[in-house]
Amino acid sequence: MPTALITGASAGLGAEFARQLARRRADLILVARSIGPLEELAAEVRSAHGVAVEIITADLAVPEDVERVAARLRDASDPVDLLVNNAGFGLPLQFADNDIDDEVRHLRVHVEASMRLMHAALQTMRGRGGRIINVASVAGFISRSTYSACKSWLIGFSRWANAEYARDGVTVTALCPGFVHTTFHERMGLEKGQEGVPSILWLQAPDVVRTGLRDAALGKAVSIPSLRYKAVVALTGILPRSLTAGVARRGRV
């Protein structure tokens, strides 16, 4: 029975990954800052699917917490078969108006923690096989403040790592959804319907996760759920950066 470690597992895409993987009979290691939601989710999937669930409470902006999760990934006696780097949060687009410490924490969670956990996972996956899914974003293809920059790094690194470690039986996939109905925007103080995003651009979490798991199984380096977002990404490659950045500012996050 495979084992999956999911960061940011207490809500949103992380919780959906947990539910879908449990239905596939994977044992789970759930990582998030809040113990209460993790325990509720663990009880739910244990009861529904009879899988084993381990909980690690960790703030991935804190180096010591990242190292605890990394140590679990390096444990060759009970190896992890799938790492889902999903933890993350958003900030207002106006970089110069944001608190710089918040921006640094944002960078640590999205980039540094993901990099450290990938490095740890590869120690036991190489030669044995495994999968890594990095939850990036369509924003990684568009100029959109530091959130875009962080997701662009995840996409670029996933592309390289997928090619580099294929010979070792490891696939690395950047999952790049657009706007998804989760608690992401609510945590920024934006109520549903107040995000400044047209309804046609919203995706549903179950669809995003199903696509990500399917494309990871196929060994794809980049997974873009929905034809409309594939079209958006294709357009970003030919339109001027100034234009795509202007369109990106229409959303409030």
Side-chain angles (χ1 to χ4, degrees):
M1 189 175 295
T3 298
L5 187 149
I6 307 163
T7 69
S10 59
L13 289 177
E16 184 60 30
F17 267 108
R19 293 185 178 103
Q20 291 197 26
L21 287 165
R23 283 199 292 272
R24 299 179 185 204
R25 309 296 296 170
D27 291 334
L28 303 174
I29 305 168
L30 306 179
V31 181
R33 292 182 300 165
S34 303
I35 184 67
L38 285 181
E39 289 179 335
E40 291 177 11
L41 179 60
E44 173 193 330
V45 296
R46 285 187 190 115
S47 175
H49 306 291
V51 298
V53 184
E54 180 181 342
I55 289 174
I56 302 175
T57 55
D59 182 343
L60 298 185
V62 178
E64 294 79 8
D65 284 11
V66 175
E67 174 53 31
R68 286 195 295 108
V69 181
R72 178 62 184 86
L73 287 164
R74 290 192 295 265
D75 184 0
S77 67
D78 189 8
V80 171
D81 305 284
L82 168 63
L83 165 64
V84 181
N85 273 318
N86 170 72
F89 62 96
L91 293 172
L93 290 177
Q94 289 299 331
F95 169 72
D97 297 331
N98 293 340
D99 185 282
I100 190 59
D101 289 335
D102 289 341
E103 288 282 3
V104 170
R105 183 170 177 269
H106 180 262
L107 182 70
R108 285 176 175 166
V109 172
H110 285 273
V111 176
E112 182 180 346
S114 295
M115 179 177 65
R116 288 184 179 276
L117 297 185
M118 281 189 278
H119 187 271
L122 285 166
Q123 306 311 302
T124 61
M125 287 183 179
R126 284 190 299 176
R128 181 178 60 86
R131 294 176 188 161
I132 298 172
I133 298 176
N134 295 316
V135 178
S137 171
V138 166
F141 299 96
I142 303 169
S143 296
R144 193 176 165 85
S145 195
T146 50
Y147 183 79
S148 173
C150 289
K151 296 305 187 181
S152 179
W153 185 91
L154 275 177
I155 294 167
F157 191 80
S158 296
R159 279 175 165 156
W160 171 81
N162 191 56
E164 177 69 17
Y165 295 108
R167 70 193 74 177
D168 297 313
V170 181
T171 65
V172 183
T173 303
L175 174 59
C176 302
F179 294 101
V180 186
H181 281 303
T182 66
T183 58
F184 181 90
H185 298 91
E186 293 176 14
R187 291 200 299 269
M188 295 182 65
L190 298 174
E191 296 297 327
K192 188 173 181 179
Q194 302 300 313
E195 307 94 345
V197 179
S199 59
I200 194 173
L201 293 180
W202 287 101
L203 302 176
Q204 301 301 320
D207 298 331
V208 170
V209 170
R210 273 193 296 272
T211 299
L213 290 172
R214 180 199 66 202
D215 287 348
L218 293 172
K220 292 186 178 182
V222 177
S223 172
I224 303 172
S226 91
L227 290 174
R228 56 189 179 274
Y229 275 110
K230 288 178 181 177
V232 168
V233 170
L235 285 172
T236 64
I238 59 176
L239 294 176
R241 285 278 182 175
S242 58
L243 178 60
T244 58
V247 172
R249 281 196 295 271
R250 293 181 62 188
R252 292 177 58 189
V253 295

